[in-house]
Short mmCIF file of all heavy atoms in Angstrom, two decimals:
data_model
loop_
_atom_site.label_atom_id
_atom_site.label_comp_id
_atom_site.label_asym_id
_atom_site.label_seq_id
_atom_site.Cartn_x
_atom_site.Cartn_y
_atom_site.Cartn_z
N VAL A 345 6.33 -9.30 -36.86
CA VAL A 345 7.52 -8.58 -37.26
C VAL A 345 8.33 -9.45 -38.22
O VAL A 345 8.28 -10.68 -38.14
CB VAL A 345 8.37 -8.19 -36.03
CG1 VAL A 345 8.94 -9.43 -35.34
CG2 VAL A 345 9.51 -7.25 -36.40
N ALA A 346 9.05 -8.79 -39.12
CA ALA A 346 9.91 -9.54 -40.04
C ALA A 346 10.96 -10.28 -39.23
O ALA A 346 11.66 -9.70 -38.40
CB ALA A 346 10.56 -8.57 -41.02
N GLN A 347 11.06 -11.55 -39.50
CA GLN A 347 11.92 -12.43 -38.69
C GLN A 347 13.37 -11.99 -38.71
O GLN A 347 14.10 -12.18 -37.72
CB GLN A 347 11.81 -13.86 -39.23
CG GLN A 347 12.49 -14.91 -38.37
CD GLN A 347 12.18 -16.31 -38.84
OE1 GLN A 347 11.93 -16.55 -40.03
NE2 GLN A 347 12.19 -17.26 -37.93
N SER A 348 13.79 -11.39 -39.79
CA SER A 348 15.19 -10.98 -39.90
C SER A 348 15.55 -9.88 -38.90
O SER A 348 16.74 -9.64 -38.67
CB SER A 348 15.51 -10.52 -41.32
OG SER A 348 14.58 -9.55 -41.73
N PHE A 349 14.57 -9.26 -38.30
CA PHE A 349 14.86 -8.20 -37.32
C PHE A 349 14.74 -8.69 -35.89
O PHE A 349 14.69 -7.88 -34.95
CB PHE A 349 13.96 -7.00 -37.55
CG PHE A 349 14.17 -6.37 -38.91
CD1 PHE A 349 13.16 -6.40 -39.85
CD2 PHE A 349 15.37 -5.79 -39.23
CE1 PHE A 349 13.36 -5.85 -41.10
CE2 PHE A 349 15.58 -5.24 -40.48
CZ PHE A 349 14.58 -5.27 -41.42
N VAL A 350 14.67 -9.98 -35.70
CA VAL A 350 14.66 -10.55 -34.35
C VAL A 350 15.92 -11.39 -34.19
O VAL A 350 16.11 -12.38 -34.90
CB VAL A 350 13.40 -11.40 -34.11
CG1 VAL A 350 13.47 -12.08 -32.75
CG2 VAL A 350 12.16 -10.54 -34.22
N LYS A 351 16.76 -11.00 -33.27
CA LYS A 351 18.03 -11.73 -33.07
C LYS A 351 18.29 -11.82 -31.58
O LYS A 351 17.73 -11.06 -30.78
CB LYS A 351 19.18 -10.98 -33.72
CG LYS A 351 19.21 -11.01 -35.23
CD LYS A 351 20.57 -10.52 -35.72
CE LYS A 351 20.76 -10.82 -37.18
NZ LYS A 351 20.16 -9.89 -38.08
N ARG A 352 19.18 -12.69 -31.23
CA ARG A 352 19.65 -12.73 -29.85
C ARG A 352 20.57 -11.52 -29.62
O ARG A 352 21.30 -11.10 -30.51
CB ARG A 352 20.42 -14.01 -29.57
CG ARG A 352 19.56 -15.23 -29.75
CD ARG A 352 19.92 -16.39 -28.86
NE ARG A 352 18.88 -17.40 -29.01
CZ ARG A 352 17.80 -17.48 -28.23
NH1 ARG A 352 17.64 -16.65 -27.22
NH2 ARG A 352 16.89 -18.40 -28.45
N GLY A 353 20.53 -11.00 -28.42
CA GLY A 353 21.36 -9.85 -28.10
C GLY A 353 22.83 -10.12 -28.39
O GLY A 353 23.56 -9.24 -28.84
N SER A 354 23.25 -11.34 -28.18
CA SER A 354 24.65 -11.69 -28.42
C SER A 354 24.99 -11.66 -29.91
O SER A 354 26.16 -11.61 -30.28
CB SER A 354 24.95 -13.07 -27.84
OG SER A 354 23.96 -14.00 -28.24
N ASP A 355 23.99 -11.70 -30.75
CA ASP A 355 24.22 -11.69 -32.20
C ASP A 355 23.92 -10.33 -32.82
O ASP A 355 24.01 -10.17 -34.03
CB ASP A 355 23.34 -12.75 -32.88
CG ASP A 355 23.74 -14.16 -32.48
OD1 ASP A 355 24.95 -14.38 -32.26
OD2 ASP A 355 22.84 -15.02 -32.34
N CYS A 356 23.53 -9.37 -32.01
CA CYS A 356 23.12 -8.06 -32.54
C CYS A 356 24.23 -7.04 -32.29
O CYS A 356 24.37 -6.54 -31.16
CB CYS A 356 21.81 -7.62 -31.90
SG CYS A 356 21.16 -6.08 -32.58
N LEU A 357 24.97 -6.73 -33.32
CA LEU A 357 26.12 -5.85 -33.16
C LEU A 357 25.72 -4.46 -32.69
O LEU A 357 26.36 -3.87 -31.82
CB LEU A 357 26.89 -5.75 -34.47
CG LEU A 357 27.63 -7.04 -34.91
CD1 LEU A 357 28.32 -6.83 -36.24
CD2 LEU A 357 28.63 -7.45 -33.85
N ALA A 358 24.67 -3.94 -33.30
CA ALA A 358 24.25 -2.57 -32.95
C ALA A 358 23.85 -2.49 -31.48
O ALA A 358 24.16 -1.53 -30.78
CB ALA A 358 23.10 -2.13 -33.84
N TYR A 359 23.20 -3.51 -31.01
CA TYR A 359 22.76 -3.51 -29.61
C TYR A 359 23.96 -3.50 -28.68
O TYR A 359 24.05 -2.72 -27.73
CB TYR A 359 21.89 -4.73 -29.33
CG TYR A 359 21.50 -4.87 -27.88
CD1 TYR A 359 20.53 -4.05 -27.32
CD2 TYR A 359 22.10 -5.82 -27.06
CE1 TYR A 359 20.18 -4.16 -26.00
CE2 TYR A 359 21.75 -5.94 -25.74
CZ TYR A 359 20.79 -5.12 -25.20
OH TYR A 359 20.45 -5.23 -23.88
N ASN A 360 24.92 -4.34 -28.97
CA ASN A 360 26.07 -4.41 -28.09
C ASN A 360 26.97 -3.19 -28.22
O ASN A 360 27.69 -2.84 -27.30
CB ASN A 360 26.87 -5.69 -28.37
CG ASN A 360 26.14 -6.90 -27.86
OD1 ASN A 360 25.96 -7.07 -26.66
ND2 ASN A 360 25.65 -7.74 -28.76
N ARG A 361 26.88 -2.53 -29.34
CA ARG A 361 27.66 -1.32 -29.52
C ARG A 361 27.06 -0.17 -28.70
O ARG A 361 27.78 0.60 -28.08
CB ARG A 361 27.67 -0.94 -31.00
CG ARG A 361 28.48 0.28 -31.32
CD ARG A 361 28.34 0.61 -32.80
NE ARG A 361 28.99 1.85 -33.14
CZ ARG A 361 30.29 1.99 -33.39
NH1 ARG A 361 31.07 0.94 -33.33
NH2 ARG A 361 30.80 3.16 -33.69
N TYR A 362 25.75 -0.06 -28.68
CA TYR A 362 25.12 1.13 -28.11
C TYR A 362 24.55 0.93 -26.71
O TYR A 362 24.16 1.89 -26.08
CB TYR A 362 24.00 1.62 -29.03
CG TYR A 362 24.50 2.13 -30.35
CD1 TYR A 362 24.08 1.53 -31.54
CD2 TYR A 362 25.39 3.17 -30.41
CE1 TYR A 362 24.54 2.00 -32.75
CE2 TYR A 362 25.86 3.64 -31.63
CZ TYR A 362 25.44 3.06 -32.79
OH TYR A 362 25.88 3.51 -33.99
N HIS A 363 24.49 -0.29 -26.26
CA HIS A 363 23.86 -0.52 -24.96
C HIS A 363 24.89 -1.09 -24.00
O HIS A 363 24.93 -2.27 -23.73
CB HIS A 363 22.68 -1.48 -25.10
CG HIS A 363 21.52 -0.84 -25.76
ND1 HIS A 363 21.49 -0.56 -27.10
CD2 HIS A 363 20.35 -0.41 -25.27
CE1 HIS A 363 20.35 0.01 -27.41
NE2 HIS A 363 19.63 0.11 -26.32
N ARG A 364 25.69 -0.18 -23.46
CA ARG A 364 26.76 -0.66 -22.58
C ARG A 364 26.24 -0.91 -21.19
O ARG A 364 26.80 -1.66 -20.43
CB ARG A 364 27.88 0.40 -22.51
CG ARG A 364 28.55 0.59 -23.84
CD ARG A 364 29.60 -0.47 -24.07
NE ARG A 364 30.26 -0.28 -25.36
CZ ARG A 364 30.54 -1.24 -26.20
NH1 ARG A 364 30.24 -2.47 -25.90
NH2 ARG A 364 31.14 -1.00 -27.33
N GLY A 365 25.20 -0.20 -20.81
CA GLY A 365 24.65 -0.42 -19.48
C GLY A 365 25.36 0.36 -18.41
O GLY A 365 26.10 1.31 -18.67
N ASN A 366 25.17 -0.06 -17.19
CA ASN A 366 25.70 0.68 -16.04
C ASN A 366 27.20 0.51 -15.90
O ASN A 366 27.72 -0.58 -16.04
CB ASN A 366 25.07 0.14 -14.75
CG ASN A 366 23.57 0.14 -14.83
OD1 ASN A 366 22.98 0.94 -15.52
ND2 ASN A 366 22.95 -0.79 -14.15
N ILE A 367 27.85 1.59 -15.66
CA ILE A 367 29.28 1.52 -15.31
C ILE A 367 29.38 2.00 -13.88
O ILE A 367 28.98 3.13 -13.56
CB ILE A 367 30.13 2.43 -16.23
CG1 ILE A 367 29.91 2.05 -17.69
CG2 ILE A 367 31.59 2.33 -15.83
CD1 ILE A 367 30.40 0.67 -18.05
N VAL A 368 29.88 1.17 -13.04
CA VAL A 368 29.96 1.52 -11.63
C VAL A 368 31.35 2.04 -11.32
O VAL A 368 32.34 1.38 -11.64
CB VAL A 368 29.66 0.30 -10.75
CG1 VAL A 368 29.82 0.64 -9.28
CG2 VAL A 368 28.24 -0.19 -11.01
N THR A 369 31.42 3.22 -10.77
CA THR A 369 32.71 3.80 -10.39
C THR A 369 32.67 4.16 -8.93
O THR A 369 31.63 4.04 -8.28
CB THR A 369 33.01 5.06 -11.19
OG1 THR A 369 32.03 6.05 -10.84
CG2 THR A 369 32.93 4.80 -12.69
N GLU A 370 33.76 4.66 -8.45
CA GLU A 370 33.78 5.07 -7.05
C GLU A 370 32.83 6.23 -6.81
O GLU A 370 32.33 6.42 -5.71
CB GLU A 370 35.20 5.44 -6.63
CG GLU A 370 36.08 4.21 -6.50
CD GLU A 370 37.44 4.54 -5.93
OE1 GLU A 370 37.64 5.68 -5.48
OE2 GLU A 370 38.29 3.65 -5.95
N ASP A 371 32.58 7.02 -7.85
CA ASP A 371 31.70 8.16 -7.66
C ASP A 371 30.26 7.75 -7.42
O ASP A 371 29.58 8.33 -6.60
CB ASP A 371 31.73 9.08 -8.90
CG ASP A 371 33.08 9.78 -9.00
OD1 ASP A 371 33.71 9.95 -7.96
OD2 ASP A 371 33.47 10.13 -10.13
N ASN A 372 29.81 6.78 -8.15
CA ASN A 372 28.41 6.39 -7.99
C ASN A 372 28.24 5.16 -7.13
O ASN A 372 27.16 4.62 -6.99
CB ASN A 372 27.71 6.23 -9.34
CG ASN A 372 28.31 5.10 -10.16
OD1 ASN A 372 29.20 4.39 -9.71
ND2 ASN A 372 27.85 4.94 -11.39
N ASP A 373 29.32 4.69 -6.55
CA ASP A 373 29.21 3.57 -5.64
C ASP A 373 30.12 3.82 -4.45
O ASP A 373 31.18 3.21 -4.30
CB ASP A 373 29.59 2.25 -6.33
CG ASP A 373 29.36 1.06 -5.42
OD1 ASP A 373 28.56 1.20 -4.48
OD2 ASP A 373 29.97 0.01 -5.64
N PRO A 374 29.70 4.77 -3.58
CA PRO A 374 30.57 5.15 -2.47
C PRO A 374 30.82 4.02 -1.49
O PRO A 374 31.74 4.08 -0.70
CB PRO A 374 29.80 6.30 -1.80
CG PRO A 374 28.39 6.12 -2.24
CD PRO A 374 28.43 5.50 -3.57
#
Side-chain angles (χ1 to χ4, degrees):
Chain A
V345 66
Q347 188 172 29
S348 52
F349 298 114
V350 175
K351 288 194 167 82
R352 299 211 171 268
S354 49
D355 294 326
C356 185
L357 291 179
Y359 175 75
N360 287 294
R361 181 184 175 82
Y362 294 120
H363 287 73
R364 295 278 181 223
N366 307 331
I367 303 295
V368 177
T369 64
E370 287 187 9
D371 290 334
N372 64 4
D373 186 21

